[in-house]
Amino acid sequence: MSATMAPAELQDALLTMDVVDQLRYRNAEMKALADSGHDNATLKQRLLELYRSQGIEVSDEILEAGIRAQREQRYVYTAPRGWKAWLARRWIDRRRVLRWALIVAAALLALGMVLLLARGFGAFVREANIEKNVQVLNARVTAQQQAIGLARHALAAQEQALQGLLPRTTASGERLQPLTEGAQAALSEAQRRFAEVPAADTLLPTLVRRDQVTRVSHGSTATAGQAADWVEQQRQAAEQALTRAQQALPVLSERVGTLGQAADASELLDATNLAAKAARLTPDAERLRARIYTDGDVALRAGDIATAGQATATLKELIGSAGKLAALNERLAQLRTDGLATGVAGDDRKRLQRALDHAATLIRVETLADAGPALDEVAGLVAMLQQTLVYRIVNRDDERTGVWRYNENANGGRNYYLVTEALDESGNAATITVRNEETGKDEQVTLFGVRVPQATYNRVAADKQDNGIIEDDQIGSKPRGSLSPRFRMPTTGGYITQW
């Protein structure tokens, strides 16, 4: 080819290159036809149509040249190879290569520093973990030492308490001997078990960390993990011995406490019994005192503190009842004197005597609660004996004078009653005790109905209807020394309290 190219030749060369470009990059179908090499005519026809559609006329020679150039791989750049080519390319890219080399060097330097720091930090962490483990194990040993000290303090407290109780139990004689021996046996067993536990002032071995080496504080030359294992074994052995020893403390505490309660109950029982002996007890109360004291003594010998406490409480009640019994006897004697002084005789005297005798039988410790009501009944009888009463029919405008009740068994089918009140010597209505025949109960009343025959009822009614006033209104009277009224009008002996 000449150094210069005519325009026509240049145009043909450009078209040839364009054909190659079409076949190589732009049209996959045409590239497939060109590579196969079997149908040049179709390929040329397609290229011709393509260029004509763009308004370009291409000769057959140019098309043929382009197809041949494509098959011969002309106009294809092949990069040089070999070490020289590689050096040339590196020289061309020297700035980029240098930049990456610096980045890689910096990364390697940073990685080295990180690894160096990580190694130092790892050593620091390992040392910190070792020290932490040493501290944890030493803390457990210290806690174990404190637990031993507390347990021994509890044992000493129980031993001191028992020693303080012995003089008191000895003073009670043989009464508390079984409980004392039981407490002493429990103390001996606890002391035997605590003999296997390290003393409170004996330090358990711990770990010492020095110059990055773990050693035992005393008792062994082991180091590192063996030192920790040995210290833990010593701690566990002390813990197991303490656990066995502590199991004896509840039994010891319970028995010492029971002995203390028994000593209190014994002293209180004796003191209360002495006070009861000094009180003015009746012969029956004295016999009761002796029996109660014996029951309390037997209970204490059997370790039954609750029963002994009940015996003490009963003795206290017995002491308190002594004064009450004396007062009740004095009251009974006075009531007897006052009642007989009224001159009571006959059946009323017998009735008073029965009430006096009944009250006397109740003035005892066992029936003290019933003695008061019995004396009140006697007092009521005496009060009735001392009174002089007049039984008058109520004759007031605002109150009824008589009432009646249906009674199938009565003559005429009715019971008749006159409303009555008992007046004392001053003319005031007295409260008396009557038995309501409808309820069968004794009641304290000021107004009551006295059952009378129908003829008496009608006569009183006629007396009132005559002029509105009952001229003959006194139905009876009760003189001093009598319990029952003496009726001057015919009555049938029954009473009612409501109408």
Side-chain angles (χ1 to χ4, degrees), residues 20 27 39 70 86 119 136 147 161 173 196 202 216 289 333 355 373 416 441 452 458 493:
V20 173
N27 198 308
D39 195 356
Q70 163 62 17
W86 184 83
R119 182 177 180 182
V136 170
E196 302 174 0
T202 301
V216 180
R289 177 206 61 76
Y416 295 91
K441 297 180 180 180
V452 297
N458 291 334

Side-chain angles (χ1 to χ4, degrees), residues 123-143:
F124 172 78
V125 171
R126 286 194 298 274
E127 181 64 22
N129 288 335
I130 293 174
E131 290 182 356
K132 181 179 179 180
N133 292 335
V134 168
Q135 293 174 359
V136 170
L137 182 53
N138 287 344
R140 296 175 65 186
V141 172
T142 300

Side-chain angles (χ1 to χ4, degrees), residues 95-170:
R95 291 186 177 180
R96 184 167 59 86
V97 172
L98 181 60
R99 184 171 62 253
W100 278 106
L102 291 174
I103 292 175
V104 171
L108 291 175
L109 179 61
L111 179 60
M113 293 179 66
V114 169
L115 291 176
L116 184 61
L117 291 174
R119 182 177 180 182
F121 181 73
F124 172 78
V125 171
R126 286 194 298 274
E127 181 64 22
N129 288 335
I130 293 174
E131 290 182 356
K132 181 179 179 180
N133 292 335
V134 168
Q135 293 174 359
V136 170
L137 182 53
N138 287 344
R140 296 175 65 186
V141 172
T142 300
Q144 187 66 57
Q145 193 82 42
Q146 293 174 349
I148 291 174
L150 292 175
R152 287 193 172 278
H153 178 74
L155 174 64
Q158 293 298 327
E159 183 176 2
Q160 183 179 3
L162 179 56
Q163 294 300 324
L165 287 174
L166 291 180
R168 298 172 59 191
T169 59
T170 302

Side-chain angles (χ1 to χ4, degrees), residues 283-306:
D284 290 341
E286 176 60 26
R287 287 190 292 272
L288 179 61
R289 177 206 61 76
R291 187 174 72 251
I292 294 172
Y293 178 73
T294 301
D295 292 342
D297 181 76
V298 172
L300 285 174
R301 292 176 183 273
D304 189 353
I305 300 175

Side-chain angles (χ1 to χ4, degrees), residues 164-181:
L165 287 174
L166 291 180
R168 298 172 59 191
T169 59
T170 302
S172 296
E174 298 179 355
R175 175 188 294 167
L176 302 181
Q177 185 175 353
L179 292 177
T180 303
E181 292 176 350

